[in-house]
């Protein structure tokens, strides 16, 4: 089962804000929803999913295990609680949100694999893993069981070494923070390409990631932006456009929490 290449993110959205965002997304045709235990919005999303009356099999729901629950004793219990909040018997993808110290990787990867065996999640994967940690995870559960590594990735932070390794292993690259907190939308190169393509800077940036084979999960609180983002799937960039955006790399990392993030490649 492939990871959808286009979904809606819900980071930093809670309460009525996330409810409206997800409702608009589902109305517009989004079917992949990305959340996490730490976002504090699983119950809000579950309410919208229930009210939508969409067939469960038409949706692809991803959640992420927070570091407090990354133990044999807590992981499965916490996932069951997430399922209860999301009004579903299973999620399609469960990720380890951050590797933390990485010292108990065998414990939590085996617990994640057990959750899959129990049918609580269709697929498993990781998020914010560097090459070393990803190789350890592969050694523990097998590469065929790691659907994706969700990483910060934008024109300003392209993570080429990690991406190359993942693609060699056949692991889907999922890009979050693709718009770099909106910073790339003001980039002169991207703005110029947008004018040339009769598109928005957001569409150009998302198309750049999609053209590279990455999955993207942009978020927005505005229906018009959610609709506009979807159109990025129809935008084809030239090789020259792609090269111009590739040249914007500046190691512009936006997310690097102490105690959670690994040593990046």
């Amino acid at each position: 089962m492939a990871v959808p290449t286009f979904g809606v993110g819900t980071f930093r959205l809670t309460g009525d804000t996330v409810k409206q965002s997800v409702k608009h997304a589902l109305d517009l045709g989004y079917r992949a929803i990305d959340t996490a235990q730490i976002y504090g919005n699983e119950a809000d999303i579950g309410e919208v999913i229930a009210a939508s009356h969409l067939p469960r099999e038409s949706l692809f729901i991803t959640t992420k295990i927070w570091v407090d629950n990354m133990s044999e004793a807590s992981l499965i219990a916490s996932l069951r609680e997430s399922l209860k909040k999301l009004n579903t018997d299973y999620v399609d993808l469960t990720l380890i949100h951050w590797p933390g110290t990485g010292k108990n990787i065998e414990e939590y990867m085996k617990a994640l694999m057990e959750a899959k065996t129990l049918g609580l999640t269709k697929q498993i994967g990781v998020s914010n893993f560097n090459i070393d940690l990803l190789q350890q995870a592969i050694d523990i559960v097998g590469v065929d069981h790691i659907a994706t590594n969700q990483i910060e990735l934008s024109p300003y932070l392209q993570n080429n070494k990690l991406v190359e390794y993942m693609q060699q292993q056949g692991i889907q690259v999922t890009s979050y923070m693709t718009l770099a907190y909106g910073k790339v939308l003001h980039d002169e190169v991207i703005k110029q390409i947008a004018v040339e393509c009769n598109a928005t800077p957001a569409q150009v940036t998302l198309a750049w990631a999609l053209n590279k084979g990455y999955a993207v999960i942009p978020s927005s609180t505005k229906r018009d932006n959610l609709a506009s983002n979807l159109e990025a799937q129809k935008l084809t960039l030239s090789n020259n456009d792609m090269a111009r955006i590739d040249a914007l790399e500046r190691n512009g990392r936006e997310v690097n929490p102490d105690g959670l993030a690994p040593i990046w490649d």
Side-chain angles (χ1 to χ4, degrees), residues 78-152:
S78 76
L79 181 54
R80 290 187 189 278
E81 182 63 25
S82 290
L83 299 184
K84 183 178 178 181
K85 291 176 180 177
L86 288 163
N87 278 316
T88 183
D89 295 329
Y90 67 93
V91 286
D92 299 274
L93 177 62
T94 303
L95 307 178
I96 295 297
H97 202 154
W98 287 93
T101 63
K103 293 179 180 178
N104 63 332
I105 185 170
E106 182 170 4
E107 178 182 4
Y108 62 65
M109 289 306 300
K110 285 184 175 178
L112 195 61
M113 188 66 185
E114 183 180 354
K116 181 179 180 180
T117 301
L118 291 171
L120 304 178
T121 183
K122 297 291 187 181
Q123 299 185 82
I124 62 173
V126 296
S127 181
N128 299 300
F129 274 40
N130 62 14
I131 292 174
D132 177 62
L133 290 166
L134 191 52
Q135 183 61 59
Q136 290 184 54
I138 289 170
D139 291 342
I140 294 162
V141 301
V143 70
D144 291 344
H145 291 292
I146 299 179
T148 192
N149 181 20
Q150 191 177 112
I151 56 174
E152 182 185 347

Side-chain angles (χ1 to χ4, degrees), residues 19-244:
K19 289 179 186 179
Q20 282 298 108
S21 176
V22 174
K23 183 180 184 303
H24 288 323
L26 293 177
D27 289 346
L28 290 165
Y30 285 81
R31 291 296 178 264
I33 304 167
D34 183 90
T35 184
Q37 293 175 342
I38 196 64
Y39 294 175
N41 61 18
E42 289 175 318
D44 296 321
I45 293 169
E47 186 178 320
V48 175
I49 289 171
S52 75
H53 300 296
L54 289 167
R56 175 63 186 88
E57 60 272 17
S58 72
L59 301 175
F60 192 100
I61 304 171
T62 300
T63 196
K64 309 178 199 75
I65 303 294
W66 188 239
V67 290
D68 293 345
N69 299 319
M70 289 177 0
S71 67
E72 182 180 2
S74 302
L75 190 147
I76 288 176
S78 76
L79 181 54
R80 290 187 189 278
E81 182 63 25
S82 290
L83 299 184
K84 183 178 178 181
K85 291 176 180 177
L86 288 163
N87 278 316
T88 183
D89 295 329
Y90 67 93
V91 286
D92 299 274
L93 177 62
T94 303
L95 307 178
I96 295 297
H97 202 154
W98 287 93
T101 63
K103 293 179 180 178
N104 63 332
I105 185 170
E106 182 170 4
E107 178 182 4
Y108 62 65
M109 289 306 300
K110 285 184 175 178
L112 195 61
M113 188 66 185
E114 183 180 354
K116 181 179 180 180
T117 301
L118 291 171
L120 304 178
T121 183
K122 297 291 187 181
Q123 299 185 82
I124 62 173
V126 296
S127 181
N128 299 300
F129 274 40
N130 62 14
I131 292 174
D132 177 62
L133 290 166
L134 191 52
Q135 183 61 59
Q136 290 184 54
I138 289 170
D139 291 342
I140 294 162
V141 301
V143 70
D144 291 344
H145 291 292
I146 299 179
T148 192
N149 181 20
Q150 191 177 112
I151 56 174
E152 182 185 347
L153 196 154
S154 76
Y156 291 166
L157 179 74
Q158 296 178 32
N159 260 315
N160 290 316
K161 188 175 180 181
L162 176 57
V163 165
E164 182 180 2
Y165 172 79
M166 289 172 61
Q167 292 177 334
Q168 288 173 349
Q169 298 294 325
I171 296 172
Q172 175 69 55
V173 177
T174 299
S175 163
Y176 74 82
M177 213 66 72
T178 315
L179 305 181
Y181 279 135
K183 292 179 181 178
V184 299
L185 305 183
H186 306 288
D187 188 278
E188 292 302 322
V189 171
I190 290 176
K191 286 165 64 177
Q192 182 59 40
I193 294 172
V195 170
E196 294 166 2
C197 294
N198 192 28
T200 68
Q203 289 169 348
V204 167
T205 306
L206 294 170
W208 167 81
L210 291 169
N211 286 1
K212 285 180 170 289
Y214 308 155
V216 295
I217 45 173
S219 65
S220 180
T221 59
K222 298 179 180 178
R223 184 185 178 97
D224 287 349
N225 288 346
L226 288 165
S228 178
N229 287 346
L230 274 178
E231 295 300 305
Q233 298 174 96
K234 302 175 184 177
L235 180 61
T236 301
L237 299 178
S238 69
N239 290 338
N240 183 54
D241 292 336
M242 293 293 288
R244 290 160 69 190

